[in-house]
Amino acid sequence: MLINTNIVLEGETVRLVPMEDRHKAELSRILLSAQVWEFTWRTIKTAEELDQVLTTALENKINGSQLPFTIVDQMTGAIIGTTRIGDIDMKNRNVEIGWTWLSPDYWRTRVNTECKYLLLRHCFEELKLIRVQFSVSGQNVRSQRAVERLGARKEGVFRKHRIKPDGSIHDNIFYSIVDDEWPDVKEKLLLLLSKKYN
């Protein structure tokens, strides 16, 4: 089964549209910030480095290994970040959700929660997957808490899994949600979106 790479996922606050080459300039403008990359295993300091990350995402879209989205603010139409379905393994009905980089202006808003809700709903209800995983740098406590808040279960730590260009070494923490858990996770996410952010 091939994944439709032209799918658009609509929420109340955001619209997830297939990433295109024409989005790269605006994504570079909003994501070229030390804040965005501080606790990731990547070191992005230049527009060229960020362009390469986005170019790789588009190449992976073409070869079917990833489905990168550009996050658009529903109210303003502004591009505010990117997120992705990756490590696509349709034979085993598994994927990873991640590569979520948002403009710091949208941190601690409903945007990330709604993005995850839209992606998870698509994975479990449309693609009929049985497992969705998340991986987070051991140094990125904020993202770990965000994934745990979704209802994902911590599976384990890949110790010394990533080495940054500066030589620092990161553990990688893996979480997952499986299809049996999706109804409860969905209910929790809908409750978060209806109460916390209204």
Side-chain angles (χ1 to χ4, degrees), residues 127-141:
L127 300 178
K128 306 299 184 192
L129 301 178
I130 60 172
R131 181 177 184 277
V132 173
Q133 80 173 23
F134 305 84
S135 62
V136 182
S137 167
Q139 296 179 8
N140 194 342
V141 175

Side-chain angles (χ1 to χ4, degrees), residues 108-126:
R108 295 175 188 83
T109 70
R110 69 181 285 137
V111 166
N112 188 46
T113 303
E114 188 171 69
C115 285
K116 296 302 186 290
Y117 168 73
L118 293 171
L119 293 169
L120 286 164
R121 185 181 67 185
H122 183 65
C123 286
F124 287 118
E125 297 181 13
E126 302 301 323

Side-chain angles (χ1 to χ4, degrees), residues 1 19 33 37 39 56 66 68 94 101 119 133 136 142 149 161 178-179 183 188 193:
M1 173 181 156
M19 185 188 290
S33 160
W37 309 100
F39 296 109
T56 299
Q66 293 188 333
N94 279 245
W101 305 311
L119 293 169
Q133 80 173 23
V136 182
R142 182 174 55 85
R149 190 172 54 100
H161 192 230
V178 296
D179 56 346
K188 180 178 184 177
L193 289 168

Side-chain angles (χ1 to χ4, degrees), residues 135 157-163 169-174:
S135 62
V157 179
F158 282 25
R159 298 177 300 160
K160 297 188 176 184
H161 192 230
R162 303 278 189 189
I163 302 175
I169 298 172
H170 286 231
D171 293 343
N172 210 7
I173 302 176
F174 283 83

